[in-house]
């Protein structure tokens, strides 16, 4: 029998109707044996996620005020699911325990983790799978770092003996047993960890979109879905702000060479996006995706004969490092170099950095340009395709966008373009149109 790990996000488990879709998906494939649920998410746009309700309820408990109404509202979210699924289970005991622990101030991580814990209990009862409390199999070190090795040893041993299990996402335990959570959206990481532990053939991550979009749908309406993307390409896009999966979810499966398949609970017939280590499949459109971020500053530095001065760049960068600022990109010319940094990090330290550069590198002239955006055009296919850069710049010129910086990563996996914040959206639309819309 094959082994698939399936993780379902909060919107896939927001109510009984969504649970039923999830049940159908799991039952339609006997290999879907290890299930990682999130806490119930929003049922509509203005709804509140159970995780957020738990944080708020716990804050009330800590402040010493009466939190019973808030806890009842949380309980009702679960009761609604249990009734809707006609399950014969009760969470009464669990809620007595939770109330007691809230009063004893068991911590906000413990509080938040109950969202997944309770949903896991319901899911296990609904599917007839065994429930495995994540606090007994997912471990953190004392400093809060995820303990990959201990987890993998314990978890793989545990699941070896269990044919079908539900392991709640998002949390684990410190060495002393106290509950600790990953950062928000961390159930994605749990799914990846479980996939590695059972040596799954695939990690299916079920959400409410039909995969990883080629571009942010807030900028381009109904963009195409990426069918295949490599881990490396995903890293580049995620770093530039594209999000569908928690960033840290890549590492456990990547190590084990397990592909991730992003799927849509509301459209299970669609193939979604495959995230793989490597592939011989070419991207349909030369580029795999576009992502970008606003809010950068460029510091332009000029000095005659800069090119022949040994260690000039190092001195400049030291001024940034001394002030705890990491740089993003550093394109250079013969007598000029430019350093791109995040505006919000730079603003407070601006004068210290500039005087540091002056003292260390003694340039002839410096200029600071603000309100810049960076756009990454990512694609494994760019390396072997002629004219990609040409097409990008033709598209930008056509959309009247002035290009302030160009940087082709040494991996030839991406081209980074700097434009002004005001041109950000039209630049992205222009690039999308020339590579995708024009090909449709
Ligand atoms: N429920 C948690 C959150 O809202 C974790 C998750 O859904 O992955 O962040």
């Amino acid at each position: 029998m094959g082994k698939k790990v399936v993780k379902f996000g909060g919107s896939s488990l927001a109510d009984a109707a969504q649970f039923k879709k999830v049940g159908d998906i799991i039952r339609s494939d006997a290999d879907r044996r290890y299930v990682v649920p999130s806490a119930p998410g929003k049922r509509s746009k203005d709804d509140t996620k159970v995780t957020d309700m738990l944080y708020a309820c716990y804050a009330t408990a800590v402040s010493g005020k009466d939190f019973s109404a808030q806890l009842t509202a949380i309980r009702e979210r679960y009761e609604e699911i249990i009734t809707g699924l006609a399950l014969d289970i009760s969470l009464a005991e669990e809620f007595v325990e939770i109330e007691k622990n809230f009063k004893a101030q068991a911590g906000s991580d413990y509080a938040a983790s109950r969202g997944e814990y309770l949903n896991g209990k319901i899911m296990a009862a609904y599917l007839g799978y065994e429930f495995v409390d994540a606090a007994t199999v997912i471990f953190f070190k004392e400093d809060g770092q995820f303990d990959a090795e201990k987890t993998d040893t314990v978890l793989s041993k545990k699941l070896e003996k269990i044919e079908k299990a539900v392991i709640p996402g998002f949390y684990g335990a410190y060495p002393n047993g106290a509950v600790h959570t990953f950062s928000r959206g961390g159930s994605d990481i749990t799914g990846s960890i479980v996939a590695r532990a059972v040596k799954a053939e695939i990690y299916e991550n079920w959400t409410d979109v039909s995969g990883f979009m080629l571009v942010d749908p807030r900028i381009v309406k109904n963009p195409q879905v990426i069918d295949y993307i490599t881990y490396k390409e995903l890293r580049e896009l995620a770093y530039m702000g594209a999000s569908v999966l928690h960033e840290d979810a890549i590492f456990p499966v990547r190590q084990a060479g397990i592909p991730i398949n992003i799927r849509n609970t509301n459209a299970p017939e669609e193939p979604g996006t495959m995230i793989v280590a490597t592939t011989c499949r070419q991207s349909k459109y030369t580029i795999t995706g576009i992502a970008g971020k606003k809010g950068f500053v460029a510091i332009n530095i000029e000095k005659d004969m800069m090119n022949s001065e040994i260690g000039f760049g190092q001195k400049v960068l030291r001024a940034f490092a001394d002030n705890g600022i990491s740089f993003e990109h550093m394109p250079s010319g013969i007598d000029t170099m430019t350093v791109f940094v995040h505006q919000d990090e730079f603003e407070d330290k601006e004068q210290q950095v500039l005087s540091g550069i002056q003292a260390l590198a003694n340039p002839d002239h410096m200029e600071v340009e603000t309100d810049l955006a960076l756009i990454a055009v990512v694609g494994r296919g760019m390396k072997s395709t002629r004219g990609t850069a040409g097409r990008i710049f033709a598209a930008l010129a056509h959309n009247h966008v002035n290009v302030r910086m160009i940087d082709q990563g040494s991996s030839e996996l991406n081209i980074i373009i700097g434009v002004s914040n005001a041109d950000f959206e039209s630049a992205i639309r222009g690039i999308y149109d020339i590579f995708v819309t024009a090909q449709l």
Side-chain angles (χ1 to χ4, degrees):
M1 214 189 325
K3 279 183 212 157
K4 292 181 181 169
V5 171
V6 286
K7 179 260 170 181
F8 291 89
S11 57
S12 300
L13 300 167
D15 57 23
Q18 288 299 91
F19 254 80
K20 285 181 186 163
K21 290 185 196 168
V22 167
D24 290 344
I25 289 166
I26 295 171
R27 291 189 192 106
S28 71
D29 183 344
D31 292 345
R32 293 185 173 132
R33 299 201 271 135
Y34 299 100
V35 181
V36 176
S38 281
K42 294 180 179 191
R43 291 162 295 186
S44 61
K45 231 175 106 215
D46 307 319
D47 201 10
T48 310
K49 289 175 161 198
V50 165
T51 308
D52 292 315
M53 296 170 84
L54 283 160
Y55 280 124
C57 178
Y58 184 70
T60 307
V62 169
S63 72
K65 294 199 198 99
D66 178 17
F67 61 91
S68 54
Q70 279 168 290
L71 196 59
T72 304
I74 293 164
R75 186 164 175 181
E76 278 165 2
R77 290 287 311 260
Y78 290 105
E79 295 298 347
E80 192 189 297
I81 296 170
I82 292 172
T83 315
L85 297 176
L87 291 176
D88 186 22
I89 56 166
S90 161
L91 296 177
E93 266 177 42
E94 267 83 10
F95 271 93
V96 170
E97 171 101 8
I98 290 169
E99 190 180 351
K100 197 181 79 197
N101 288 333
F102 272 35
K103 282 187 181 146
Q105 304 201 355
S108 63
D109 277 13
Y110 164 80
S113 76
R114 296 307 86 184
E116 272 70 11
Y117 173 83
L118 295 167
N119 231 19
K121 288 260 166 179
I122 297 176
M123 178 67 89
Y126 179 52
L127 296 171
Y129 282 23
E130 188 168 325
F131 176 80
V132 176
D133 186 353
T136 64
V137 286
I138 305 267
F139 302 103
F140 294 92
K141 297 181 185 157
E142 243 139 57
D143 62 1
Q145 285 238 50
F146 171 57
D147 190 340
E149 293 325 307
K150 182 178 173 192
T151 299
D152 197 53
T153 310
V154 175
L155 185 59
S156 55
K157 214 159 161 207
K158 174 94 184 171
L159 295 181
E160 218 172 83
K161 290 178 259 124
I162 307 177
E163 201 182 306
K164 296 175 163 192
V166 173
I167 308 102
F170 190 37
Y171 71 95
Y174 283 115
N176 69 3
V179 167
H180 184 53
T181 63
F182 292 107
S183 55
R184 294 300 301 266
S187 298
D188 285 340
I189 310 173
T190 310
S192 182
I193 293 166
V194 174
R196 178 185 169 202
V198 302
K199 302 193 173 53
E201 60 228 33
I202 194 161
Y203 167 27
E204 293 179 346
N205 186 292
W206 291 81
T207 173
D208 53 9
V209 287
S210 290
F212 203 135
M213 310 281 175
L214 226 126
V215 64
D216 187 338
R218 287 168 298 189
I219 299 175
V220 174
K221 251 199 180 152
N222 294 324
Q224 293 288 305
V225 168
I226 300 171
D227 52 358
Y228 269 75
I229 184 169
T230 64
Y231 292 131
K232 273 196 197 138
E233 290 174 310
L234 182 71
R235 284 280 295 157
E236 301 274 356
L237 289 171
Y239 186 71
M240 275 300 194
S243 76
V244 55
L245 196 70
H246 193 295
E247 250 196 299
D248 296 339
I250 293 179
F251 300 109
V253 282
R254 184 177 180 171
Q255 238 174 352
I258 300 166
I260 306 173
N261 186 197
I262 309 284
R263 298 285 290 268
N264 189 348
T265 299
N266 304 316
E269 66 288 352
E270 289 179 13
T273 300
M274 287 294 288
I275 306 169
V276 296
T278 175
T279 173
C280 65
R281 284 169 198 254
Q282 290 301 333
S283 323
K284 244 189 267 171
Y285 309 105
T286 307
I287 62 166
T288 302
I290 312 164
K293 272 189 196 166
K294 290 182 180 177
F296 289 94
V297 171
I299 300 98
N300 300 314
I301 301 149
E302 281 179 39
K303 186 174 189 181
D304 280 344
M305 310 297 285
M306 175 193 289
N307 221 21
S308 53
E309 184 178 327
I310 291 169
F312 184 85
Q314 194 186 16
K315 291 174 200 158
V316 168
L317 293 183
R318 173 124 64 87
F320 288 91
D322 286 349
N323 287 288
I325 294 174
S326 70
F327 74 94
E328 231 26 59
H329 288 282
M330 193 189 54
S332 62
I334 297 175
D335 291 330
T336 62
M337 66 184 276
T338 303
V339 182
F340 276 79
V341 293
H342 286 276
Q343 192 152 338
D344 53 355
E345 278 177 37
F346 180 70
E347 254 163 11
D348 292 343
K349 301 273 181 65
E350 178 187 66
Q351 295 311 317
Q352 288 99 302
V353 175
L354 295 178
S355 59
I357 298 174
Q358 195 65 52
L360 290 161
N362 193 30
D364 297 334
H365 182 68
M366 280 193 284
E367 214 176 78
V368 177
E369 258 186 279
T370 55
D371 300 319
L372 296 172
L374 292 175
I375 297 169
V377 184
V378 176
R380 59 189 180 278
M382 296 194 317
K383 209 167 163 166
S384 52
T385 314
R386 265 177 302 146
T388 309
R391 284 164 82 191
I392 294 174
F393 297 116
L396 295 175
H398 183 78
N399 276 20
H400 308 289
V401 172
N402 186 16
V403 177
R404 315 289 276 274
M405 188 275 288
I406 308 160
D407 194 358
Q408 173 161 29
S410 49
S411 61
E412 285 191 61
L413 201 61
N414 62 11
I415 294 176
I416 311 271
I417 304 141
V419 302
S420 74
N421 276 345
D423 285 336
F424 181 69
E425 283 84 5
S426 67
I428 289 186
R429 272 186 220 117
I431 298 168
Y432 183 84
D433 283 344
I434 205 161
F435 284 98
V436 183
T437 317
Q439 309 283 314
L440 292 175

